[in-house]
Amino acid sequence: MVFKIKLHLLLVLSPFIFVPFNSNNSCNNYLSYLFISFSSDCYHNPDVNDNITNIIQRHTNSSETHHVQTQDGYILGLFRIRRDNPRGVILFQHPYNFDARIWVTQYNDSVAFLYWRAGYDVWLGNTRGSLYSKKHVTLKPSDSDFWDHSFHELAYYDLHATVEYVKKTTGGSKIIYVGYCMGAISGLIYASIKPEDASKSIQIMITLAPVISYQDAHGPLMTAIAILYKLQPLREYMGIYSVGRYDIWYLRLLRFFYLFFPFKKLLPYTISLFFGWTPDEMDPNYANLMVSHFGSEASLKVVDHGHQMHLDNRFQVYSYGNDHNMKVYGSPKPSLYSLEAIKLPVFIVCSYDDYISHYKDNERLFNSLPQEATIYGKLVVKGMNHFDYAYGKRRNEEVHNKVLQLLNSLCEDKSN
Ligand SMILES: *[C@@H]1O[C@H](CO)[C@@H](O)[C@H](O)[C@H]1NC(C)=O
Ligand SMILES: *[C@@H]1O[C@H](CO)[C@@H](O)[C@H](O)[C@H]1NC(C)=O
Ligand SMILES: *[C@@H]1O[C@H](CO)[C@@H](O)[C@H](O)[C@H]1NC(C)=O
Ligand SMILES: *[C@@H]1O[C@H](CO)[C@@H](O)[C@H](O)[C@H]1NC(C)=O
């Protein structure tokens, strides 16, 4: 009896016992993950179990870590892949529930390295609350006030502080801003509420998969967001103000389990269900890389803010309800972010197959911007979902090489 139980336990644990961390963890195709120890399509990728500074260092030898303090006391981590005499300076800002790792977890082919190799000084921002931005002068992440921010504060405080820091540290010339989903939304808000500051510091804003109203956004993620919104009183009663505390034990266990789970094709199917049906687009090489670096804590108020834009079909400030809005804003209706106020060029990149950043929403965004802001047009791609800008097989040919081409036409090569 005891022997039987032990045998079962051994069978259950066997993948964890017999697959040491320094063996193969990545494959060129999903099927090969079933034969990860024998297949010639598989290899060991050291980035899977490493941290961001080591990853950057391994591929570029140019890793720097910086910290920026916002006006309201948050201390944000900021990573730099340094290049002297660069063609230009680029600040990347990550999507919701992610952090700077999203730009460097495609092995040697990472998005950030592509731009760095093209001659740019690359900076990777981290919004408040995410893995590298958990410090505040007085608050702690366990305080509810620490999470009391919507897209608005990410723009007003975090972006302002980060953009100004990068500009100052690199010699005072205008920088290039690349925002992905939440990074794109807060970028647009920043350019709309601080148009003078933004146009003084940012040469061009590249928005990857932006959203302004979520009117056409659909899929189970939007349903989940609607349910979360309804549960707001319960969440607050239970003291839940953020999503993605990925250091909690069961999420760690789940991640650990998935890293050894051989049917990796489940990952692109799951992601496709939520973010756009393109299961063949996700690169199998990055399955474990993505999972081991997925998730960074973020405020639920940001999600609520997005859902309110969806409900009211307006690109507007966070709403506290009519009465409280009167107290906070002096008017019952939440005010609109004026896209007409934007004074810098915005280059929109979106996809027909993205459930969240819908191409129709992007059409409205394009048409709402002043003519001077849209001089470079926009780029609408096919067959890529909301995730594929980072982990899709064709992300470079469809998106990043084209963005680079535009940037190169604006920035002269200073390498020799
Ligand atoms: C890793 O994969 C290679 C084939 O690329 C294979 O020869 C090697 O034995 C594998 N190593 C381990 C430890 O799984
Ligand atoms: C990554 O690990 C190295 C040690 O291997 C450490 O020096 C560095 O501070 C770590 N970076 C981060 C961002 O934690
Ligand atoms: C970084 O420097 C080390 C030691 O000089 C060298 O071995 C390595 O190849 C360099 N890596 C890159 C990506 O340049
Ligand atoms: C990245 O590494 C892989 C495997 O070593 C190699 O085949 C590929 O050419 C490299 N890509 C770049 C851009 O260096």
Side-chain angles (χ1 to χ4, degrees):
M1 183 64 191
V2 171
F3 176 72
K4 247 190 182 165
I5 292 174
K6 274 190 180 159
L7 193 68
H8 277 133
L9 203 65
L10 201 66
L11 279 176
V12 171
L13 292 177
S14 61
F16 304 101
I17 294 168
F18 297 121
V19 184
F21 269 108
N22 62 358
S23 68
N24 294 347
N25 56 18
S26 304
C27 302
N28 284 328
N29 65 69
Y30 288 109
L31 211 56
S32 298
Y33 278 96
L34 293 169
F35 316 102
I36 193 158
S37 297
F38 323 104
S39 169
S40 59
D41 290 332
C42 302
Y43 55 94
H44 174 71
N45 181 345
D47 294 356
V48 171
N49 295 303
D50 214 342
N51 72 25
I52 185 164
T53 40
N54 289 342
I55 292 174
I56 294 175
Q57 191 62 16
R58 178 175 303 118
H59 297 286
T60 67
N61 272 343
S62 283
S63 168
E64 281 183 13
T65 304
H66 295 249
H67 292 97
V68 192
Q69 188 172 325
T70 67
Q71 243 171 34
D72 58 345
Y74 288 83
I75 296 156
L76 311 176
L78 185 56
F79 299 102
R80 179 188 193 181
I81 314 176
R82 187 190 181 115
R83 160 131 2 239
D84 295 318
N85 303 317
R87 241 185 138 125
V89 177
I90 309 184
L91 169 64
F92 285 90
Q93 199 64 44
H94 60 83
Y96 189 78
N97 235 227
F98 278 91
D99 52 60
R101 289 175 298 173
I102 194 170
W103 308 109
V104 300
T105 43
Q106 298 84 31
Y107 204 24
N108 56 1
D109 236 350
S110 290
V111 176
F113 304 155
L114 181 81
Y115 289 82
W116 180 78
R117 288 187 188 120
Y120 292 85
D121 189 5
V122 170
W123 293 74
L124 312 172
N126 294 280
T127 50
R128 52 184 63 191
S130 65
L131 184 60
Y132 306 109
S133 301
K134 289 207 178 294
K135 293 210 181 86
H136 184 277
V137 285
T138 53
L139 298 170
K140 283 196 229 48
S142 53
D143 301 327
S144 62
D145 284 350
F146 185 94
W147 301 104
D148 187 13
H149 52 262
S150 64
F151 283 116
H152 192 86
E153 287 77 14
L154 302 187
Y156 190 89
Y157 295 109
D158 290 12
L159 276 195
H160 181 70
T162 310
V163 165
E164 290 307 315
Y165 180 90
V166 172
K167 182 184 166 205
K168 195 182 87 204
T169 312
T170 52
S173 304
K174 287 189 189 183
I175 67 167
I176 296 154
Y177 180 84
V178 179
Y180 183 1
C181 193
M182 178 177 80
I185 299 166
S186 48
L188 290 168
I189 293 176
Y190 178 56
S192 141
I193 57 179
K194 288 186 179 267
E196 303 296 336
D197 287 353
S199 66
K200 255 186 242 153
S201 300
I202 300 175
Q203 184 182 1
I204 179 171
M205 180 172 282
I206 313 286
T207 58
L208 306 176
V211 188
I212 53 164
S213 80
Y214 293 89
Q215 193 194 350
D216 303 283
H218 56 103
L221 184 69
M222 296 310 289
T223 313
I225 289 173
I227 294 170
L228 265 179
Y229 192 72
K230 288 239 160 65
L231 295 179
Q232 196 179 21
L234 180 68
R235 276 161 28 198
E236 279 171 16
Y237 175 74
M238 293 173 67
I240 300 172
Y241 297 96
S242 65
V243 269
R245 287 200 33 234
Y246 291 90
D247 52 348
I248 43 188
W249 67 271
Y250 58 88
L251 283 179
R252 280 190 180 196
L253 199 68
L254 197 66
R255 170 183 317 206
F256 191 65
F257 183 80
Y258 183 81
L259 290 177
F260 293 98
F261 180 73
F263 302 99
K264 298 284 183 213
K265 189 78 191 185
L266 190 70
L267 184 66
Y269 280 130
T270 312
I271 290 176
S272 283
L273 201 65
F274 287 90
F275 296 99
W277 196 256
T278 64
D280 293 330
E281 179 58 30
M282 198 187 141
D283 196 319
N285 283 288
Y286 310 139
N288 279 344
L289 203 48
M290 206 207 93
V291 168
S292 69
H293 293 288
F294 171 76
S296 226
E297 199 168 1
S299 169
L300 275 165
K301 193 173 173 185
V302 174
V303 179
D304 293 341
H305 189 188
H307 187 65
Q308 292 176 347
M309 292 184 194
H310 170 79
L311 288 175
D312 294 350
N313 187 22
R314 297 164 92 231
F315 193 40
Q316 62 185 17
V317 297
Y318 184 86
S319 173
Y320 294 93
N322 290 359
D323 292 348
H324 203 85
N325 283 346
M326 200 63 206
K327 270 187 229 148
V328 182
Y329 303 123
S331 103
K333 208 169 172 188
S335 61
L336 277 176
Y337 289 119
S338 164
L339 291 162
E340 298 87 67
I342 293 180
K343 283 204 161 76
L344 50 84
V346 175
F347 185 67
I348 300 167
V349 186
C350 64
S351 167
Y352 288 115
D353 298 278
D354 187 334
Y355 289 171
I356 311 300
S357 165
H358 200 276
Y359 74 92
K360 282 191 193 152
D361 204 32
N362 278 285
E363 248 163 43
R364 283 191 292 272
L365 165 60
F366 189 83
N367 294 332
S368 310
L369 288 167
Q371 234 162 16
E372 312 87 76
T374 55
I375 43 174
Y376 302 114
K378 66 176 175 358
L379 173 63
V380 190
V381 302
K382 275 197 200 101
M384 292 180 67
N385 72 19
H386 204 58
F387 253 67
D388 293 329
Y389 292 87
Y391 297 104
K393 289 177 193 159
R394 297 174 305 134
R395 65 189 182 286
N396 290 349
E397 59 184 279
E398 291 292 324
V399 175
H400 299 296
N401 288 341
K402 291 182 182 167
V403 171
L404 259 177
Q405 213 173 4
L406 171 64
L407 296 183
N408 287 346
S409 74
L410 305 176
C411 308
E412 127 198 40
D413 186 1
K414 298 194 193 113
S415 59
N416 41 45

